[in-house]
Amino acid sequence: MDSATVNPQAEHDSAKHHHVSLPQHRHHFETEEQQREAGSFGMWLFLLTEIMFFGGMFFAYLLYRNWYYDAFVAASNTLNVKMGAANTAILITSGFFMALGVWAAEVRKKNLLVLFLILTTVFGCAFLGVKYFEYKEKFELHHVPGNSFDVSQFINPPLNAQGNATRPPLPPDMAQKTQLFFFLYFAMTGMHALHMIIGIVLLFWLMGRAQRGEFTEGYVAPIENFGLYWHFVDIVWIFLFPLLYLINLHPLAH
Amino acid sequence: MSEHIHDATNVTNPEHAEHHIVSPLEYTVVFVTLLLCTALTVFAATLDLGVFNPIVALAIASFKGVIVILFFMHVKYQSNLIKMTVGAGFFTFLVLITMTLSDYISRAWGLW
Amino acid sequence: MKEHDNSILRLPDQATAQVPKKNFITAEDGLMSWLLTGDHKRIAMLYLFSITFFFFIGGAFAGLIRLELLTPMPDLVASDTYNKLFTMHGVIMVFLFLVPSVPATLGNFLIPIMLGARDLAFPKINLLSWYLYIIGGTLTLTALVLGGVDTGWTFTTPLSTHYLNTHVVTTATAIFIAGFSSIFTGLNFIVTIHRMRCPGMTWFRMPLFVWAHYAASILMVLGTPVLAIAIVLVALERTIGIGVFDPTKGGDPLLFQHLFWFYSHPAVYIMILPGMGVISEVISTFSRKRVFGYTAVAFSSVAIALFGFFVWEHHMFIMGVSNYSALVFSLLTMLVAVPSAIKIFNWAFTLQKGSITFETPMLYAFGFMGLFTIGGLTGVFLGSLGMDIQLTETYFIVAHFHFVMVGGMLMAFLSGVHFWWPKMTGRMYPEALSKLAAVVTFIGFNLTFLPQFILGYLGMPRRYHSYPPEFQILNVMSTAGATVLGIGYLMPVIYLAWSLKYGAVAGDNPWQATGLEWQIQSPPLTENFTEIPIMDHEAYDYEWLEHKTAHEVTTVG
């Protein structure tokens, strides 16, 4: 071997199957396959940072749920399980349409891709809409931590028609800890919602480009990689829902 | 000697994976499964399983997460590198949780 | 090759040699071509200027600290001003200098070339990294100008959340943004190393510099986000008072510390691993010998990264963690020292029976080996639970981390800058002056920080601006050393800048080193290689190099 550099292209083409060079091919990559794999890998590495970022909050939740279980149960039961479950279904549906969108891009069906992106956005916005109503309700019930927080409803819970407490009353210091639950609720769902909003903004941008046919000529990486992001945000909610809403739906039993 | 340059690092086509396109049918099956699991987790929460409530809830959530990762995010059909990357992420997350917990759990054990 | 030479430096004939007209610096003209570049080499240069700027600001704070500590009385600055001085010194030096130093300058410049690639995987994200760094740095300076922050660079709760009224949120935001700079750099490196090696470049043919950066990049990607969430929670605690770190509301201040140190311990490995990569390259080149135990050094880099995630609680031994977990973390801390020691042994065995010469990069490398060993060993003392109770929060800790970070990392950085300066600029620096600077730095460093081990052992607390009068002589020694050290750091700035115009023309491979970067012109072309190379030999293959140069046309001499 007297020469360390050989042009690999000439010898390589004969062995490689023929491929069209896309306009988006970046020239520091040798092949599109390499570019696509690199892009996907890069997006996964970014998602790893998201796992660790949310991970810190999940740990805080885990700790305080253990320390103040009764307060967490009481506070969790003021959340609307029906809305939470509906939101979970909405977000899963949004993810389903996103996955179909990736498929549409891969099989080069432009109108289907745009449709699926629109449906993803619609369901994403629906999720945020439901969240808005949930937050509004929390505000009205004085469950937002801070000066307006009303702890008395946990010390003296409302009575039902028979005159029994609807939930076990909490001693005052434990009742104070419900604020921690609500803080974590707002922080975690708020951070999640922020990621959804960013995702929706990106979806509008992608819809525009998809409509111009940019993703149905073989270059699917932005759709694919955005899909990874969107599904990840979905997975975070899949864990948030049972952890925040379904801690213990029958605290009176024991 | 083969015609093309021996690509020891396999950069051109990692593990010679054919690019697998996941079909809408697979997606639909996963979608329905996810919805069913959501209903299941709500139902399970209404039952009084004592200490198993959170375990069941997390198990169902983990299952949902896994099928989203494998199918919606295509990881089942991707290279080993991607699979290991996903694993590394969750491993580090678990390290954060368990090792920090080791402090909090053992505080109650008192001083020796 | 003359055998009796005491230098391996081979410069081309200066009468006829010229810096190649077409290179990445001359490729495009104008400020915008630099500010909007995608070229990893230009971005590396941008980083080099920026981190040097922040280094001297951080150094100025160090100077003021040492000035105050000349006398036992708190007579130079007020108490909280002093707190602001050491906080800003720490924040700037850790986040704006040490973390990006080798990866963002040398790593950015060299990794694609060492792998035979044309650029990093994501050039635009590389540029974004630099802008995020600049924004983070500017925001830090803003916090400084607005009045500073005095929590210590560690933002320990509940001090930072409940007891201080300084610009914590501004600084926290700055670090949050700078953290993303680090994450994107690491992400870029990981993808490049996995997927953009040239044909024939297997994992075990890569230079150890690349292995070191790979390990550091994993830490950057997985660790930094936890810092991000920790400081977001501090900001929320300060602004809204949510109670997550507030004992009166049921929170635990130690939760912040767990999250903070979960990143900040791996951060020290983020800082040192790239430096170790530099040392591998330098020691091999200046001993004319392949690195002893390549596989061991490569795997030890990854082992340091892995174990580095398991030891963070050793920063919290006195904070109220459970004794049982402290035991476990102490044991794990002992384990994490092993891979670092493996590297030192391997470098020592590389030196054995090598043809050693003492050019400036090698001087810094020797300094590294000695000082890092001392710093590392004192780390083992600190990892031992019983000793740590006595030594923590004293000047022993200060000396320990300055030995590893300044005696170790900063020396490695200077070693690398000098080693690759001819490659990056096409010019050679003045050797006599640089050797002098290296010696001055070494002397200054030891004078500054050795007394601090003694001070710490005797009980002088850290972060205090007054001390018992019997400690004065050691403090005066330390401040004198700091002055010498400052001179040692100023000298390279001056002569390196001078060399850009007046330095000797370096040629492609003045050190006769192996590695793909030395087979291309100095400075390199924008696209690095005219044709993608094929790697057909092992790393540090000096026989291959000799064979290659023997076949090159040489002038009769």
Side-chain angles (χ1 to χ4, degrees):
Chain A
M1 299 293 146
D2 45 76
S3 165
T5 66
V6 167
N7 188 344
Q9 280 309 102
E11 299 186 36
H12 203 73
D13 278 344
S14 57
K16 249 182 357 188
H17 56 271
H18 171 73
H19 76 283
V20 180
S21 184
L22 294 172
Q24 298 93 348
H25 177 67
R26 301 254 180 273
H27 289 282
H28 57 281
F29 288 111
E30 302 238 16
T31 67
E32 262 114 51
E33 194 62 45
Q34 189 186 28
Q35 182 175 335
R36 185 181 182 152
E37 259 278 330
S40 195
F41 186 34
M43 177 51 86
W44 265 110
L45 288 172
F46 177 70
L47 293 181
L48 291 196
T49 69
E50 296 275 29
I51 294 177
M52 298 313 292
F53 185 71
F54 277 98
M57 278 196 288
F58 273 102
F59 183 81
Y61 167 87
L62 176 64
L63 177 68
Y64 295 130
R65 171 171 161 162
N66 259 299
W67 277 8
Y68 309 121
Y69 183 69
D70 295 332
F72 269 52
V73 169
S76 156
N77 287 333
T78 66
L79 296 179
N80 190 329
V81 174
K82 288 197 181 67
M83 281 171 110
N87 245 357
T88 310
I90 290 173
L91 198 53
I92 290 174
T93 312
S94 172
F96 173 57
F97 285 125
M98 187 65 221
L100 286 175
V102 174
W103 170 79
E106 284 169 331
V107 299
R108 311 199 183 195
K109 291 191 188 323
K110 186 185 95 156
N111 291 327
L112 267 184
L113 169 62
V114 177
L115 171 67
F116 287 134
L117 287 177
I118 291 176
L119 284 170
T120 305
T121 315
V122 162
F123 277 85
C125 291
F127 177 92
L128 288 175
V130 172
K131 268 247 112 0
Y132 167 75
F133 284 110
E134 283 190 275
Y135 279 5
K136 187 154 163 290
E137 192 197 14
K138 288 275 137 280
F139 187 73
E140 282 159 2
L141 291 176
H142 298 283
H143 288 159
V144 177
N147 292 333
S148 68
F149 193 82
D150 177 21
V151 108
S152 59
Q153 59 187 290
F154 295 106
I155 303 176
N156 297 309
L159 303 176
N160 62 12
Q162 285 79 33
N164 297 321
T166 45
R167 53 174 173 258
L170 297 175
D173 59 334
M174 185 57 91
Q176 286 290 348
K177 307 297 189 286
T178 52
Q179 281 201 79
L180 262 179
F181 172 86
F182 284 113
F183 160 66
L184 282 168
Y185 168 78
F186 282 110
M188 294 171 89
T189 58
M191 188 60 76
H192 176 263
L194 177 64
H195 281 78
M196 295 246 351
I197 293 172
I198 294 173
I200 289 175
V201 169
L202 287 172
L203 270 167
F204 277 108
W205 178 60
L206 288 175
M207 272 191 265
R209 292 178 67 186
Q211 182 60 28
R212 288 196 289 275
E214 283 183 43
F215 304 125
T216 33
E217 302 292 323
Y219 177 60
V220 303
I223 299 289
E224 218 173 22
N225 292 332
F226 178 81
L228 290 178
Y229 172 80
W230 194 250
H231 293 306
F232 179 77
V233 177
D234 194 0
I235 292 178
V236 173
W237 181 261
I238 284 174
F239 279 93
L240 282 183
F241 171 59
L243 288 176
L244 292 173
Y245 290 76
L246 303 178
I247 299 183
N248 184 348
L249 291 180
H250 15 69
L252 288 166
H254 39 239
Chain B
M1 173 142 167
S2 59
E3 269 188 325
H4 56 118
I5 300 295
H6 171 58
D7 178 30
T9 59
N10 210 4
V11 288
T12 50
N13 194 347
E15 288 103 3
H16 299 291
E18 275 307 311
H19 187 69
H20 183 285
I21 296 182
V22 181
S23 69
L25 180 62
E26 272 183 273
Y27 287 140
T28 313
V29 169
V30 174
F31 172 55
V32 170
T33 312
L34 286 169
L35 290 178
L36 286 175
C37 284
T38 308
L40 181 63
T41 202
V42 175
F43 173 67
T46 61
L47 304 173
D48 185 4
L49 304 168
V51 72
F52 284 104
N53 272 112
I55 296 175
V56 165
L58 274 176
I60 297 177
S62 302
F63 174 73
K64 287 161 85 175
V66 165
I67 56 175
V68 169
I69 289 177
L70 287 178
F71 295 100
F72 280 179
M73 296 168 94
H74 302 169
V75 169
K76 184 164 185 283
Y77 305 106
Q78 298 251 12
S79 59
N80 286 335
L81 176 63
I82 300 285
K83 293 183 172 114
M84 278 206 300
T85 306
V86 180
F90 285 105
F91 172 73
T92 316
F93 169 73
L94 285 174
V95 168
L96 171 65
I97 302 288
T98 51
M99 291 186 80
T100 318
L101 261 185
S102 75
D103 171 29
Y104 287 100
I105 289 180
S106 55
R107 279 192 204 173
W109 297 355
L111 282 173
W112 311 122
Chain C
M1 318 285 159
K2 292 175 247 177
E3 297 297 321
H4 55 274
D5 245 332
N6 55 8
S7 171
I8 57 167
L9 184 65
R10 291 286 174 272
L11 293 175
D13 176 20
Q14 293 298 305
T16 56
Q18 268 188 326
V19 176
K21 283 204 174 52
K22 184 160 179 270
N23 59 57
F24 79 96
I25 302 176
T26 58
E28 279 178 286
D29 260 333
L31 185 63
M32 277 300 139
S33 76
W34 281 85
L35 293 181
L36 295 176
T37 183
D39 180 5
H40 64 102
K41 300 179 289 300
R42 284 189 164 204
I43 294 174
M45 294 286 111
L46 290 173
Y47 264 110
L48 184 60
F49 294 131
S50 339
I51 67 170
T52 308
F53 171 73
F54 283 108
F55 173 74
F56 282 103
I57 297 185
F61 283 120
L64 287 169
I65 292 171
R66 288 299 343 151
L67 211 51
E68 167 66 84
L69 291 176
L70 260 181
T71 61
M73 298 307 290
D75 41 17
L76 188 65
V77 292
S79 308
D80 34 354
T81 310
Y82 184 77
N83 296 351
K84 290 174 185 173
L85 289 179
F86 67 69
T87 304
M88 295 309 288
H89 170 70
V91 166
I92 293 177
M93 285 311 203
V94 169
F95 295 113
L96 298 178
F97 176 70
L98 283 169
V99 166
S101 61
V102 171
T105 55
L106 299 172
N108 261 332
F109 196 101
L110 295 164
I111 288 180
I113 305 179
M114 286 178 167
L115 297 178
R118 292 203 184 285
D119 204 319
L120 288 175
F122 307 118
K124 293 206 185 96
I125 295 199
N126 201 10
L127 185 65
L128 175 66
S129 248
W130 182 71
Y131 277 109
L132 289 174
Y133 170 83
I134 292 295
I135 293 172
T138 310
L139 214 47
T140 308
L141 292 180
T142 310
L144 169 65
V145 163
L146 286 177
V149 62
D150 55 349
T151 57
W153 78 275
T154 49
F155 292 99
T156 311
T157 49
L159 183 71
S160 61
T161 48
H162 291 90
Y163 292 94
L164 291 172
N165 228 348
T166 49
H167 297 273
V168 176
V169 175
T170 316
T171 315
T173 313
I175 295 173
F176 185 88
I177 296 173
F180 272 101
S181 167
S182 186
I183 288 175
F184 288 141
T185 299
L187 192 152
N188 233 331
F189 286 172
I190 294 177
V191 178
T192 308
I193 294 170
H194 268 280
R195 285 287 177 248
M196 291 183 69
R197 288 165 283 137
C198 64
M201 179 68 78
T202 61
W203 279 89
F204 292 102
R205 283 181 178 170
M206 297 193 310
L208 289 166
F209 180 86
V210 181
W211 273 100
H213 279 78
Y214 178 66
S217 300
I218 294 177
L219 293 171
M220 285 185 224
V221 166
L222 290 173
T224 318
V226 184
L227 175 74
I229 188 65
I231 53 188
V232 163
L233 290 175
V234 164
L236 286 175
E237 179 77 78
R238 280 187 71 85
T239 49
I240 315 178
I242 35 81
V244 72
F245 301 135
D246 185 352
T248 62
K249 293 184 180 163
D252 184 13
L254 279 179
L255 177 61
F256 167 79
Q257 292 183 38
H258 274 295
L259 295 175
F260 178 83
W261 288 110
F262 184 86
Y263 163 73
S264 297
H265 187 79
V268 315
Y269 298 120
I270 292 175
M271 295 188 258
I272 197 69
L273 276 167
M276 289 172 156
V278 170
I279 299 300
S280 288
E281 301 299 316
V282 168
I283 288 198
S284 169
T285 304
F286 294 96
S287 330
R288 315 301 302 155
K289 204 166 157 258
R290 54 169 21 106
V291 175
F292 182 91
Y294 173 102
T295 319
V297 179
F299 280 138
S300 70
S301 297
V302 180
I304 290 175
L306 180 64
F307 294 156
F309 270 121
F310 301 151
V311 298
W312 79 88
E313 203 188 82
H314 66 227
H315 299 270
M316 298 163 61
F317 281 155
I318 59 163
M319 294 297 180
V321 293
S322 92
N323 284 346
Y324 301 96
S325 66
L327 264 180
V328 170
F329 277 95
S330 174
L331 177 65
L332 290 167
T333 305
M334 299 300 168
L335 285 179
V336 81
V338 172
S340 300
I342 288 178
K343 284 182 188 278
I344 297 278
F345 284 132
N346 278 298
W347 291 324
F349 280 116
T350 307
L351 290 168
Q352 189 202 33
K353 297 213 177 148
S355 309
I356 302 176
T357 50
F358 294 92
E359 288 80 346
T360 305
M362 193 58 156
L363 288 181
Y364 280 116
F366 273 117
F368 176 97
M369 280 185 74
L371 299 175
F372 176 78
T373 303
I374 296 175
L377 284 175
T378 53
V380 177
F381 303 160
L382 292 164
S384 148
L385 200 41
M387 285 305 288
D388 189 74
I389 308 292
Q390 307 302 321
L391 295 173
T392 196
E393 299 305 304
T394 67
Y395 261 80
F396 196 90
I397 290 248
V398 175
H400 158 71
F401 63 69
H402 282 92
F403 260 79
V404 282
M405 285 297 130
V406 180
M409 183 53 213
L410 181 48
M411 289 216 149
F413 176 67
L414 288 171
S415 178
V417 167
H418 284 80
F419 183 57
W420 280 291
W421 189 258
K423 176 54 57 185
M424 296 193 289
T425 61
R427 297 270 183 189
M428 206 44 203
Y429 54 82
E431 183 69 29
L433 208 50
S434 61
K435 282 198 170 97
L436 178 63
V439 173
V440 167
T441 307
F442 184 80
I443 293 174
F445 175 85
N446 279 299
L447 201 51
T448 311
F449 291 108
L450 269 174
Q452 292 187 7
F453 274 127
I454 306 173
L455 280 168
Y457 190 72
L458 291 176
M460 177 176 170
R462 68 185 285 208
R463 293 176 168 168
Y464 282 29
H465 70 332
S466 63
Y467 51 81
E470 57 263 30
F471 292 154
Q472 183 169 20
I473 182 117
L474 288 168
N475 271 294
V476 169
M477 225 190 281
S478 186
T479 304
T483 319
V484 176
L485 194 57
I487 296 173
Y489 291 141
L490 272 172
M491 288 171 69
V493 177
I494 300 173
Y495 64 68
L496 287 176
W498 174 90
S499 77
L500 286 174
K501 193 137 191 272
Y502 301 108
V505 174
D508 294 359
N509 195 354
W511 305 119
Q512 303 168 76
T514 60
L516 286 174
E517 75 272 25
W518 299 106
Q519 314 310 322
I520 58 174
Q521 64 174 57
S522 312
L525 294 167
T526 303
E527 63 270 23
N528 298 336
F529 302 97
T530 46
E531 284 159 351
I532 293 296
I534 295 184
M535 189 68 173
D536 53 5
H537 56 276
E538 302 304 310
Y540 314 110
D541 195 338
Y542 289 94
E543 286 86 33
W544 171 87
L545 180 67
E546 235 186 84
H547 188 255
K548 176 171 177 285
T549 48
H551 282 67
E552 280 172 358
V553 174
T554 52
T555 54
V556 174

